[in-house]
Amino acid sequence: MEEKDIYILGIESSCDETSISVVKNGREVLSNVINSQIKIHENYGGVVPEIASRCHTEVINQVMKEALKQAKLELKDIDCIATTYGPGLVGALLVGVSYAKGLSFASNKPLLGVNHIEGHIAANYITHKDLKPPFICLIISGGHTHLVKVDDYTSFEILGKTRDDAIGEAFDKVARVVGLGYPGGPKVDKLAKEGKEIINLPVTHMDNMDFSFSGVKTAVINLNHKTPNINKADLCLSFEKVATDMLENNILKAIKETKINKVVFAGGVSANSYIRGRFEELAKKENIEMYFPELILCTDNAAMIAAAGYYNYIKGKKSDLTLNAIPNLKLGE
């Protein structure tokens, strides 16, 4: 007997993207509508939580209609409504969670809260149709730096995480101090292409697989203040090099400890061209299986939430209408 196709409607509103997607069987994207607020927040040099929440409220219904239209489906065809409920900005999360609860109640469809970090990992199942756990995943974004052993689609063991700044946060602060503005990561990446790796910056080594980016970030800030005529492109590239050295060091530790030779990247910073280039070289040199999500799936989007939702849904997980936003939600909770 032929198995029934499962359609998950994913909702993502954890920060400054309002996104709704329909994904079939966890891997096939039928629609992935993203309404970005970057242009609005650029004026403020970063995301303003109250403005983000208001913008989500204004567009979410239209985004949902467009997602269903592009998928050529109606709400009655959907099997489950999956929504990010954390981590993220509490007001922004509440818009998506409240909307999902309303949709679930009105359509009598199951509701499922999805961890945003789990969503980033699941983005790879869309890009790489044959990818299966177990693997090591490095989640690098504006809010997170996690090194995770993915034992199964819904089972995770955190091997290491940042003790201070997330790597994307460090990129944003470096961008701000050298005068590049927001969003910092792509602007640092672009300027670094014109630079040389000639500035010595500190590398923080941990005994375990944790990370620390505050030292290198502070060194960049101090150098920039003390040496106003310093070459900004050299500073950006030297910062990228040190940050990537720390990532590489811990990935090699994780491979050695777990005996798993398959490494998957996730999160907005995995779109960085320098980091991708360095790890593609490492993969060849050390014979590592390495996977990156396509660029559109690195940053926040609802397709990844629907993909993660699918694997939780087929395990029988669901949420009820008491589901609430948890801004500091941890992976595996």
Side-chain angles (χ1 to χ4, degrees):
M1 187 177 151
E2 198 176 319
E3 284 188 23
K4 178 190 174 293
D5 289 327
I6 293 171
Y7 298 96
I8 307 287
L9 181 88
I11 299 174
E12 158 60 29
S13 70
S14 66
C15 191
D16 61 340
E17 265 92 21
T18 315
S19 181
I20 297 185
S21 171
V22 179
V23 173
K24 177 181 167 183
N25 299 333
R27 307 238 174 187
E28 187 184 336
V29 178
L30 303 185
S31 65
N32 189 24
V33 180
I34 303 169
N35 183 285
S36 178
Q37 303 171 14
I38 282 179
K39 289 278 178 245
I40 296 163
H41 296 288
E42 262 179 351
N43 301 320
Y44 304 96
V47 177
V48 181
E50 293 82 359
I51 294 172
S53 307
R54 194 181 316 136
C55 290
H56 287 309
T57 307
E58 287 168 359
V59 303
I60 194 164
N61 200 47
Q62 198 51 47
V63 171
M64 196 273 292
K65 287 177 179 173
E66 184 59 29
L68 286 173
K69 183 181 168 188
Q70 287 185 19
K72 297 183 173 60
L73 294 172
E74 294 176 30
L75 197 52
K76 65 179 173 60
D77 303 313
I78 299 297
D79 291 282
C80 178
I81 294 158
T83 185
T84 304
Y85 74 110
L89 302 172
V90 66
L93 286 165
L94 278 168
V95 177
V97 169
S98 303
Y99 189 77
K101 283 158 74 170
L103 268 187
S104 167
F105 182 75
S107 62
N108 200 27
K109 298 288 180 184
L111 174 70
L112 183 59
V114 172
N115 186 306
H116 180 77
I117 306 171
E118 206 175 315
H120 275 303
I121 297 169
N124 284 280
Y125 302 134
I126 296 167
T127 302
H128 308 286
K129 306 294 187 208
D130 299 325
L131 177 65
K132 294 185 176 93
F135 53 77
I136 293 160
C137 187
L138 182 67
I139 302 146
I140 43 176
S141 69
H144 312 286
T145 307
H146 281 59
L147 190 57
V148 178
K149 181 168 166 260
V150 180
D151 296 307
D152 192 14
Y153 291 106
T154 59
S155 177
F156 312 94
E157 181 191 341
I158 295 172
L159 303 174
K161 57 186 177 181
T162 183
R163 298 214 184 156
D164 39 62
D165 295 24
I167 188 170
E169 193 182 343
F171 265 94
D172 283 343
K173 285 174 181 170
V174 166
R176 198 174 302 140
V177 83
V178 301
L180 296 177
Y182 174 85
K187 293 182 178 182
V188 169
D189 191 22
K190 188 178 177 187
L191 183 59
K193 287 180 168 62
E194 300 167 24
K196 298 186 183 77
E197 293 175 10
I198 55 171
I199 299 168
N200 283 327
L201 294 168
V203 180
T204 306
H205 290 292
M206 299 280 184
D207 294 334
N208 57 11
M209 284 179 260
D210 281 352
F211 302 90
S212 171
F213 297 101
S214 68
V216 65
K217 174 204 70 182
T218 304
V220 169
I221 292 168
N222 290 341
L223 265 175
N224 192 69
H225 287 330
K226 289 175 187 167
T227 324
N229 61 344
I230 197 165
N231 185 301
K232 310 288 190 193
D234 292 349
L235 196 55
C236 285
L237 184 59
S238 301
F239 164 73
E240 280 191 328
K241 179 195 179 295
V242 168
T244 309
D245 285 347
M246 290 193 266
L247 299 178
E248 186 178 293
N249 186 39
N250 278 0
I251 278 180
L252 290 172
K253 276 188 199 171
I255 291 170
K256 190 175 177 184
E257 185 172 297
T258 63
K259 308 285 190 290
I260 295 171
N261 201 36
K262 195 191 302 187
V263 177
V264 169
F265 283 75
V269 181
S270 62
N272 178 284
S273 65
Y274 177 85
I275 291 173
R276 283 189 175 225
R278 276 277 301 274
F279 278 102
E280 279 159 7
E281 283 172 28
L282 183 71
K284 285 177 195 161
K285 185 177 153 199
E286 301 289 340
N287 199 24
I288 301 165
E289 266 188 74
M290 208 163 279
Y291 299 85
F292 288 90
E294 59 196 280
L295 293 178
I296 191 70
L297 297 175
C298 290
T299 49
D300 293 349
N301 67 90
M304 68 184 199
I305 301 304
Y310 168 81
Y311 290 104
N312 282 283
Y313 176 75
I314 61 173
K315 282 265 172 84
K317 293 185 181 179
K318 57 175 73 169
S319 308
D320 59 31
L321 294 175
T322 62
L323 181 70
N324 203 357
I326 303 179
N328 58 351
L329 184 69
K330 305 288 188 290
L331 186 65
E333 286 185 358

